[in-house]
C-alpha cells in the first residue's frame, strides 16, 4: 500500500524512501534492523508527502516525488548520513521546484535553467 497525504496517492514513494533509508544508514554493517529502516523510510515518506498537494494542484503526476527520491538515492545520498532530515527536505524542495515551477524567476535566476537543461540532456544521453 502506498503512503497517502490526505487522499493523494504517491505511487512508488514507500519503496523509494526505503531504498534511501538503506543507503544513508549503511555503515559497514551487513544488516541494519528492519525496524530502523522502516522508521527512517516513514520519516522520508512524510516529508515527501508534504509536496503531494502542490504537485497534484499543478496537474502533475505525484509519482514524480518517488522519482525525485530515486534521483537523490543515485546522486546525493551517502552512507552514514544517518537520520538527519534537513538535507533531504532542502534537496527535495529544490528538485520539486525545478520539476514543478512555482516561483517567477528573474532573468539571472532563469539563466541557470539552461545549465540544468544541458546537464539533463547529457545525463539522458549517458543512459543510451
Amino acid at each position: 500500500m502506498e503512503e497517502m497525504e490526505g487522499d493523494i496517492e504517491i505511487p512508488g514513494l514507500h519503496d523509494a524512501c526505503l531504498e534511501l533509508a538503506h543507503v544513508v544508514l549503511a555503515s559497514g554493517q551487513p544488516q541494519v534492523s528492519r525496524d530502523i529502516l522502516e522508521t527512517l523510510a516513514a520519516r522520508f515518506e512524510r516529508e515527501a508527502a508534504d509536496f503531494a498537494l502542490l504537485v497534484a494542484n499543478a496537474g502533475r503526476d505525484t509519482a514524480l516525488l518517488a522519482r525525485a527520491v530515486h534521483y537523490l538515492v543515485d546522486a546525493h545520498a551517502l552512507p552514514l548520513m544517518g537520520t538527519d532530515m534537513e538535507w533531504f527536505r532542502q534537496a527535495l524542495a529544490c528538485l520539486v521546484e525545478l520539476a514543478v515551477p512555482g516561483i517567477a524567476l528573474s532573468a539571472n535566476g532563469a539563466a541557470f535553467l539552461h545549465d540544468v537543461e544541458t546537464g539533463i540532456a547529457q545525463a539522458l544521453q549517458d543512459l543510451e
Side-chain angles (χ1 to χ4, degrees):
M1 188 174 106
E2 296 301 333
E3 188 70 22
M4 306 277 273
E5 173 65 17
D7 293 324
I8 302 173
E9 184 177 347
I10 308 168
L13 185 61
H14 179 75
D15 290 341
C17 290
L18 201 54
E19 185 179 346
L20 178 61
H22 183 74
V23 170
V24 301
L25 290 175
S27 58
Q29 300 173 14
Q31 278 300 109
V32 175
S33 144
R34 187 74 184 177
D35 285 346
I36 292 171
L37 278 174
E38 288 286 351
T39 299
L40 183 57
R43 288 178 64 198
F44 286 135
E45 221 170 326
R46 282 191 301 275
E47 289 291 332
D50 284 346
F51 293 98
L53 189 59
L54 180 149
V55 171
N57 284 345
R60 301 291 299 278
D61 177 9
T62 57
L64 79 79
L65 293 167
R67 293 189 293 271
V69 173
H70 281 295
Y71 174 83
L72 290 174
V73 168
D74 288 351
H76 296 284
L78 298 171
L80 305 178
M81 287 177 110
T83 59
D84 175 51
M85 298 302 288
E86 191 57 30
W87 74 271
F88 178 72
R89 227 177 267 122
Q90 295 299 325
L92 190 59
C94 185
L95 293 178
V96 169
E97 179 59 34
L98 283 170
V100 185
I103 298 171
L105 300 172
S106 67
N108 288 336
F112 178 67
L113 295 179
H114 295 293
D115 299 316
V116 172
E117 193 173 41
T118 300
I120 290 169
Q122 181 182 349
L124 291 174
Q125 186 175 20
D126 290 347
L127 287 175
E128 295 173 0

